[in-house]
Amino acid sequence: MIHKLIEKQGEHYITPLFWECHCEDDYIHPASDLCCYACGVEQGKDAHEARVDEVLRYCYRFRLPRDLVNVVVAAVDLFAPELADQIAIPF
């Protein structure tokens, strides 16, 4: 079911493994985080699934769980290789 882990939405790919809050920094959270303690946004209510390109670009800066990032990388390799060409995956 790895193909369900990324989905094209408009011009971007998104992933349910991560979500974005309203903070300017550290705004990408793993799906296991139910809320952002900095801005108070709750997953699923005021937040949306994270863009794959931003997960890959900021995975180290935001200290995202590497095992989840690796799943996103594998999904990109299989189902969105054009995205992998545009983004320098940092590992």
Side-chain angles (χ1 to χ4, degrees), residues 17-88:
L17 295 176
F18 296 94
W19 59 278
E20 297 178 5
C21 69
H22 298 294
C23 292
E24 288 189 32
D25 292 317
D26 296 330
Y27 60 89
I28 300 175
H29 301 271
S32 59
D33 289 353
L34 300 179
C35 69
C36 174
Y37 295 109
C39 69
V41 168
E42 294 181 23
Q43 180 192 52
K45 290 188 178 181
D46 302 318
H48 54 86
E49 292 178 347
R51 288 177 33 183
V52 170
D53 61 328
E54 292 190 350
V55 168
L56 299 178
R57 186 175 296 121
Y58 298 121
C59 63
Y60 282 114
R61 180 174 158 199
F62 295 165
R63 297 184 180 147
L64 300 176
R66 187 167 182 149
D67 56 341
L68 291 179
V69 172
N70 286 339
V71 171
V72 173
V73 169
V76 166
D77 288 344
L78 289 172
F79 301 105
E82 71 279 6
L83 185 60
D85 293 340
Q86 297 173 14
I87 299 170

